[in-house]
Amino acid sequence: MAYLFGLIGYPIKHSLSPWIHEQFMETTKINGSYEIFEISLNSNFTEAINDLRKKNINGFNVTVPYKEKIIQELDELDDQASRIGAVNTVLNIGGKLVGYNTDGLGYVKSLEKAYPKIKESIPNILILGAGGAARGIYNGLKISGYLNIDIANRTLEKAEEIKQTNLIGKTEVITLDTAEQVLNQYDIIIQTTSVGMKPNVDAQIINLTNLKSNVIISDIVYQPIMTQFLKSGIIQGANIHTGHTMLLYQAELAFNIWTEKQVNVENMDLKLQEILEG
């Protein structure tokens, strides 16, 4: 049996997902392919998804701008995707499309691989931004047992939508200006927006001069890998966590959903970094 996997989104021609999943297939000795299915903004989205069903695709990833829009085309959502309100992974079970979200748990796995003892200290965490990535990471952290997670955003209303009162622990919503003033209260600071992504590599979401010692500064942007946000953290003596590893671990979880195969990604992060850095 030859598997067919893919990615939908726009624009995605330069995505690294095909390379990552080809590595997974080679490692697990699975026969298959991973293809790009770019869906332009003026396309008939429902028709494009139905075309994928007809191709008998085994599973596909979803990226911007369709992580929320895809939900209306699905037959079922898992609990995590339902809570987040966004889907990045779809499994095709005999024509029934089931949506999942591996972004948050992929992020948590990448963080804990880099800092294995981080949960033991019961860290205070600050998430910067309130978009889809922030929503996924917040939920991933919460269900993984992290208790104290605050959210800082330019508009408080959007951050309030992420906050879930039915989960254990506490969450405060603050402005980005307030975040700059109270940074020394946090052990982990996670930048979840596109600020600092190529070509705007000099942009930085907040000033980092008020950090506590031994803080972990994390940025999900991976182009460039060393963002201005991370560079500023290093200057302040912070530990850093780069975004390309999240890309690997969320893909690993998606591949497991599709194939029930476990993949060891331990040695792939350096290869991926080399590709990203050219």
Side-chain angles (χ1 to χ4, degrees):
M1 171 185 171
Y3 284 89
L4 173 61
F5 307 120
L7 172 69
I8 68 167
Y10 184 85
I12 52 174
K13 287 179 179 175
H14 301 294
S15 171
L16 289 168
S17 290
W19 180 84
I20 292 172
H21 285 279
E22 283 162 9
Q23 301 297 305
F24 291 170
M25 285 184 277
E26 184 178 328
T27 299
T28 56
K29 295 180 170 50
I30 278 180
N31 180 25
S33 62
Y34 188 103
E35 300 180 12
I36 294 289
F37 299 101
E38 193 169 70
I39 303 174
S40 65
L41 300 181
N42 58 359
S43 297
N44 185 317
F45 188 69
T46 298
E47 192 175 289
I49 300 305
N50 285 334
D51 284 344
L52 290 180
R53 290 183 198 258
K54 293 172 185 175
K55 290 178 186 293
N56 291 321
I57 193 168
N58 298 93
F60 57 94
N61 292 125
V62 186
T63 189
V64 291
Y66 299 128
K67 288 188 177 185
E68 295 177 2
K69 189 172 185 176
I70 187 64
I71 292 175
Q72 67 193 39
E73 308 297 335
L74 303 178
D75 302 295
E76 190 177 318
L77 284 182
D78 93 319
D79 291 342
Q80 178 79 341
S82 182
R83 277 195 300 268
I84 295 169
V87 164
N88 79 327
T89 299
V90 176
L91 173 66
N92 184 6
I93 308 173
K96 182 176 81 169
L97 299 183
V98 184
Y100 300 82
N101 194 306
T102 68
D103 283 334
L105 292 177
Y107 175 83
V108 173
K109 197 167 184 180
S110 72
L111 179 67
E112 292 179 348
K113 287 289 183 179
Y115 298 97
K117 297 183 179 181
I118 188 61
K119 190 187 291 185
E120 296 175 9
S121 62
I122 312 180
N124 291 320
I125 301 173
L126 178 65
I127 292 176
L128 302 175
R135 189 182 295 271
I137 289 171
Y138 176 83
N139 277 270
L141 288 165
K142 277 289 188 179
I143 68 172
S144 298
Y146 292 87
L147 300 175
N148 306 316
I149 309 169
D150 293 345
I151 306 166
N153 195 51
R154 184 172 53 84
T155 55
L156 297 182
E157 293 80 8
K158 197 168 182 184
E160 286 285 355
E161 292 174 5
I162 296 176
K163 180 179 174 181
Q164 294 192 22
T165 56
N166 62 327
L167 298 176
I168 60 171
K170 69 175 185 67
T171 296
E172 298 294 333
V173 169
I174 59 176
T175 65
L176 293 174
D177 288 339
T178 300
E180 287 188 348
Q181 300 168 24
V182 297
L183 279 185
N184 58 8
Q185 297 179 12
Y186 298 100
D187 305 293
I188 306 172
I189 300 167
I190 308 167
Q191 201 294 114
T192 70
T193 76
S194 60
V195 175
M197 184 183 293
K198 289 180 179 179
N200 303 311
V201 296
D202 294 326
Q204 185 175 322
I205 190 167
I206 60 170
N207 190 296
L208 296 180
T209 54
N210 190 28
L211 297 177
K212 71 188 297 184
S213 60
N214 295 319
V215 65
I216 295 171
I217 299 296
S218 178
D219 198 333
I220 69 166
V221 170
Y222 57 86
Q223 288 186 319
I225 287 180
M226 193 55 61
T227 60
Q228 187 60 45
F229 184 75
L230 294 180
K231 290 177 182 176
S232 296
I234 291 172
I235 291 171
Q236 299 298 321
N239 302 299
I240 65 167
H241 175 243
T242 54
H244 72 294
T245 55
M246 173 187 172
L247 189 65
L248 277 177
Y249 284 105
Q250 64 85 13
E252 175 203 15
L253 293 171
F255 191 78
N256 177 253
I257 288 169
W258 295 331
T259 67
E260 298 184 347
K261 300 282 187 182
Q262 296 289 340
V263 186
N264 186 348
V265 304
E266 295 291 338
N267 299 318
M268 285 183 60
D269 59 337
L270 289 177
K271 291 180 184 177
L272 182 58
Q273 183 173 338
E274 288 172 3
I275 293 172
L276 288 167
E277 292 176 341

